[in-house]
Amino acid sequence: MQKMNRGILTALSGIGIAQGLKILTHKRLTGEWDVKQVASTGGMPSSHSAGVTALASYIAWNKGSRHTETALAVTFGMIVMYDAQGIRRHTGEIAKLVNDLEDNIAEISGDFPSFEFVEREKELKELLGHQPIEVLGGAILGGVLGFLSAKLENR
């Protein structure tokens, strides 16, 4: 039987471990256990960063920094991490503003009976992206996992 690709296994492990750690960081921040954090977007550490950094560092340790596969993994990883802390985070901030605006309109509409306002059933999801420190936390986790995976494989 053929084993699973070690690079994929390393990247998926980074994502899984980062998602699991979100339960602990949520507990530390709020004082409450919330198992649903394992399926959340945003938060500490970034699973996007952990996954792509685990893969890139695993490849770099196995193939070397000058190999084309390393260049591809690093470039792909940089794009993913930039997106996680940039565009996705800003989208979440806009969602928060829209949700607040809708709450304000709902409150004001009570003063004007002729104003027809239909509230949405669900608010927009606000926690989409990552703060730079969350991306860095995921990158450190992924780098360590990629290094360990490469060293364990090459023993």
Side-chain angles (χ1 to χ4, degrees):
M1 184 162 123
Q2 201 172 20
K3 292 194 283 186
M4 184 176 190
N5 179 304
R6 183 73 173 229
I8 293 172
L9 187 60
T10 301
L12 292 176
S13 295
I15 292 167
I17 291 168
Q19 286 299 116
L21 286 172
K22 288 180 183 185
I23 297 170
L24 298 175
T25 57
H26 180 79
K27 165 72 170 145
R28 185 164 186 220
L29 289 172
T30 66
E32 298 175 11
W33 289 104
D34 184 8
V35 179
K36 288 185 266 178
Q37 292 298 312
V38 81
S40 71
T41 57
M44 175 67 142
S46 165
S47 59
H48 290 84
S49 296
V52 295
T53 306
L55 178 61
S57 62
Y58 167 78
I59 293 170
W61 281 102
N62 274 323
K63 303 277 186 172
S65 62
R66 298 179 57 116
H67 199 276
T68 302
E69 289 177 29
T70 302
L72 288 169
V74 168
T75 303
F76 168 69
M78 289 172 56
I79 292 167
V80 168
M81 290 188 288
Y82 177 79
D83 179 60
Q85 68 90 35
I87 297 164
R88 289 180 54 242
R89 180 171 54 109
H90 292 313
T91 302
E93 290 170 1
I94 291 168
K96 182 171 179 16
L97 292 172
V98 170
N99 288 337
D100 290 345
L101 179 63
E102 184 178 48
D103 292 344
N104 291 337
I105 290 173
E107 188 177 316
I108 292 169
S109 69
D111 297 336
F112 301 94
S114 63
F115 183 69
E116 290 186 35
F117 174 70
V118 179
E119 217 171 330
R120 279 179 293 155
E121 293 179 26
K122 228 165 81 165
E123 287 195 337
L124 297 174
K125 190 170 184 176
E126 297 175 5
L127 188 58
L128 296 173
H130 294 281
Q131 297 297 324
I133 191 71
E134 296 168 343
V135 171
L136 178 62
I140 291 168
L141 171 64
V144 169
L145 287 172
F147 169 76
L148 291 174
S149 181
K151 290 301 171 192
L152 287 171
E153 182 180 51
N154 294 326
R155 286 194 301 154

